[in-house]
Amino acid sequence: MSLERLRAAKALLPPQGRVADVGAGDGDLARMLAADHAFSHVIATEAAEGPFARLRRACGDDRSIELRFGQGLAPLLGETLDGIAILGMGAGTILEILEDHREHQGAVFVLGPMQHAPTLRRGLAASGLAIVDERLALEAGRVYELIAVRAAECPAMSWLDLQLGPVLRKRRPPGFGLLCEQRLRPLRARLAAGRSDPGLLANIRAIEEEYDAARGT
């Protein structure tokens, strides 16, 4: 995972306390967090033997990271945590993991979907998780969305909120225009292929207006 995404994820986590990285991969985020001594406890998990062995090798003898084996949030059962990161997975997998989020009522969950962020946002609303912050990370001409949520009543989100993020729409950070372009590309392809529906043109125009506003035109 790129340094930009790791930094964005860290910025969304609480600035100190007890944190966990679920599906930690090579442990890049866990090692970044452990190097910041404001975090009193860092846990990294993996759910399969091969990835867990790779995680163990990557973390080496770093005793500031506790490694745990298991699926989803199960390895964290009984822990009081301030923040939990779930990065580099599909929206469906993230939503499955979050089915057990009520075991960690006080935690901020930082989510980094590889794709289908609108689907993730829709699922969050149905799961009783409210978006509290969002970031963008640019990597190789593509923008990735990172979303921080916590257990709370979720305000209603419009179609544009689902597509572009309610916080991102307000802040319009660097990369927001590229995000608009990424959302427009499949919509325009459907239009060009003649697979139009009553709301397609309206949706394209709505994102184009957001894009123009971000560019100050």
Side-chain angles (χ1 to χ4, degrees), residues 204-215:
I204 290 173
R205 288 179 183 138
I207 295 179
E208 287 175 339
E209 288 175 3
E210 293 278 318
Y211 188 17
D212 289 342
R215 292 187 299 171

Side-chain angles (χ1 to χ4, degrees), residues 130-141:
I131 296 173
V132 295
D133 204 353
E134 295 176 303
R135 293 282 192 283
L136 292 177
L138 279 69
E139 178 185 339

Side-chain angles (χ1 to χ4, degrees), residues 159 186-187 190-191 193-205:
W159 181 83
L187 298 178
R190 283 173 54 196
L191 187 64
R195 296 196 299 271
S196 181
D197 57 65
L200 181 58
L201 275 174
N203 289 342
I204 290 173
R205 288 179 183 138

Side-chain angles (χ1 to χ4, degrees), residues 8-206:
K10 184 175 183 291
L12 289 172
L13 285 166
Q16 59 186 3
R18 299 168 59 86
V19 292
D21 184 10
V22 173
D26 289 334
D28 293 336
L29 179 62
R31 284 183 279 123
M32 177 183 285
L33 298 174
D36 184 342
H37 299 294
F39 295 99
S40 58
H41 193 187
V42 177
I43 301 170
T45 79
E46 266 299 347
E49 291 184 4
F52 186 73
R54 188 169 65 248
L55 173 63
R56 187 183 295 279
R57 288 194 299 270
C59 293
D61 296 326
D62 190 342
R63 297 184 179 275
S64 61
I65 303 172
E66 182 182 355
L67 306 182
R68 295 188 184 180
F69 181 82
Q71 292 277 354
L73 299 180
L76 308 178
L77 189 63
E79 288 283 352
T80 299
L81 295 166
D82 299 289
I84 301 172
I86 309 172
L87 310 178
M89 305 179 194
T93 301
I94 292 174
L95 288 171
E96 287 178 8
I97 292 172
L98 289 174
E99 288 177 1
D100 296 325
H101 75 86
R102 291 173 182 82
E103 297 292 334
H104 302 280
Q105 285 289 329
V108 172
F109 291 86
V110 175
L111 316 174
M114 291 297 293
Q115 56 187 353
H116 304 310
T119 300
L120 177 59
R121 291 190 182 97
R122 186 178 297 108
L124 293 173
S127 300
L129 289 161
I131 296 173
V132 295
D133 204 353
E134 295 176 303
R135 293 282 192 283
L136 292 177
L138 279 69
E139 178 185 339
R142 180 181 172 184
V143 65
Y144 291 87
E145 297 154 87
L146 291 102
I147 305 168
V149 303
R150 66 165 68 246
E153 184 176 352
C154 184
M157 284 190 282
S158 67
W159 181 83
L160 276 174
D161 287 335
L162 294 173
Q163 294 295 314
L164 302 174
V167 178
L168 296 174
R169 288 184 67 206
K170 290 177 182 176
R171 294 181 180 168
R172 296 193 174 110
F176 184 74
L178 182 55
L179 176 62
C180 291
E181 290 177 3
Q182 288 180 188
R183 292 288 182 268
L184 283 168
R185 200 170 298 127
L187 298 178
R188 288 171 172 163
R190 283 173 54 196
L191 187 64
R195 296 196 299 271
S196 181
D197 57 65
L200 181 58
L201 275 174
N203 289 342
I204 290 173
R205 288 179 183 138

